[in-house]
Amino acid sequence: GEDVEQSLFLSVREGDSSVINCTYTDSSSTYLYWYKQEPGAGLQLLTYIFSNMDMKQDQRLTVLLNKKDKHLSLRIADTQTGDSAIYFCAEKISAGNNRKLIWGLGTSLAVNP
Amino acid sequence: ETGVTQSPTHLIKTRGQQVTLRCSSQSGHNTVSWYQQALGQGPQFIFQYYREEENGRGNFPPRFSGLQFPNYSSELNVNALELDDSALYLCASSWGQGEAFFGQGTRLTVV
């Protein structure tokens, strides 16, 4: 089946690290993505990881992928109030010529000063 | 700024009407995907167009249809609107199956 699950809410203090977790079910995923959505705005691609990688680091963002457990996480170091948003995990799956993104419901991150 | 523009930004329609949403893809991108995002939900894949042909479709009824033009811009058409069609409609463009860039979306309200 095609399903992506995330916890719905996360609250952290400014300066702390945030860790947002995601699990997926389709083992044929090729890429896994993290998108950020601020209120009333579209989706902004934060980072992505190819399915044969374990880790990717990009400035304050670290993505960890455990393919065996189908678990993906996004760590934001030194979280700032501007990081408050909804974070979506998405997996790209392919079935023949049909390629699509399957999305989680999103994790709402609240950063408290 | 992703270079993907959608119009209109907001729209109010009456149940039973038809609506057309438009998307201009980023320069050089030949693939467009459309998503529906209901309030408090993640995006749901509607369909994808590659070089003017539909090459993937999610679980949406036939009253959701689309077009892609030679300049790779795209339209999403929804007939016989229902109240549950109220959502943010997102368009994403890419070069083939590469990274997808999203527009700001069209907020459709059906009353």
Side-chain angles (χ1 to χ4, degrees):
Chain A
E2 303 168 354
D3 196 19
V4 175
E5 293 190 356
Q6 304 177 235
S7 52
L8 294 183
F9 301 100
L10 178 65
S11 179
V12 300
R13 285 191 305 184
E14 191 174 14
D16 287 351
S17 291
S18 308
V19 179
I20 303 172
N21 294 300
C22 168
T23 57
Y24 60 98
T25 55
D26 198 309
S27 56
S28 66
S29 300
T30 53
Y31 288 89
L32 294 124
Y33 300 84
W34 285 104
Y35 281 85
K36 177 182 180 182
Q37 188 175 40
E38 295 180 84
L43 291 156
Q44 175 195 352
L45 177 65
L46 284 178
T47 187
Y48 64 94
I49 188 167
F50 188 48
S51 58
N52 69 353
M53 294 171 64
D54 298 326
M55 186 182 90
K56 181 178 179 182
Q57 186 147 7
D58 184 1
Q59 299 182 335
R60 292 190 297 125
L61 306 178
T62 303
V63 179
L64 294 177
L65 175 61
N66 181 328
K67 197 170 181 182
K68 174 176 167 290
D69 295 338
K70 299 189 182 70
H71 181 268
L72 182 74
S73 68
L74 173 69
R75 179 177 180 269
I76 306 173
D78 187 24
T79 313
Q80 303 297 307
T81 54
D83 295 324
S84 294
I86 299 176
Y87 290 80
F88 289 95
C89 166
E91 60 169 340
K92 176 179 278 188
I93 63 172
S94 300
N97 288 326
N98 190 354
R99 295 175 178 83
K100 57 184 177 181
L101 290 177
I102 306 298
W103 299 73
L105 293 181
T107 298
S108 180
L109 174 65
V111 182
N112 305 306
Chain B
E1 289 292 329
T2 63
V4 180
T5 56
Q6 293 186 241
S7 62
T9 54
H10 296 83
L11 196 55
I12 300 175
K13 288 285 191 177
T14 304
R15 192 170 45 181
Q17 284 188 313
Q18 178 265 344
V19 70
T20 297
L21 309 182
R22 294 180 175 83
C23 173
S24 293
S25 55
Q26 189 176 91
S27 177
H29 285 182
N30 58 8
T31 302
V32 173
S33 302
W34 284 92
Y35 293 84
Q36 180 196 65
Q37 186 180 17
L39 200 62
Q41 303 291 316
Q44 297 289 317
F45 174 71
I46 303 175
F47 43 57
Q48 181 182 83
Y49 280 82
Y50 171 67
R51 291 186 174 178
E52 303 177 58
E53 294 206 2
E54 185 182 294
N55 78 331
R57 189 177 182 93
N59 296 325
F60 280 81
R63 59 189 185 83
F64 285 78
S65 63
L67 278 176
Q68 187 180 31
F69 299 100
N71 66 356
Y72 301 135
S73 66
S74 177
E75 285 183 356
L76 163 65
N77 299 290
V78 187
N79 293 323
L81 282 166
E82 300 176 1
L83 297 179
D84 284 350
D85 295 333
S86 295
L88 180 69
Y89 288 84
L90 294 160
C91 160
S93 78
S94 61
W95 172 253
Q97 300 305 323
E99 180 181 332
F101 292 86
F102 282 81
Q104 292 295 96
T106 294
R107 173 74 61 189
L108 173 65
T109 303
V110 183
V111 297

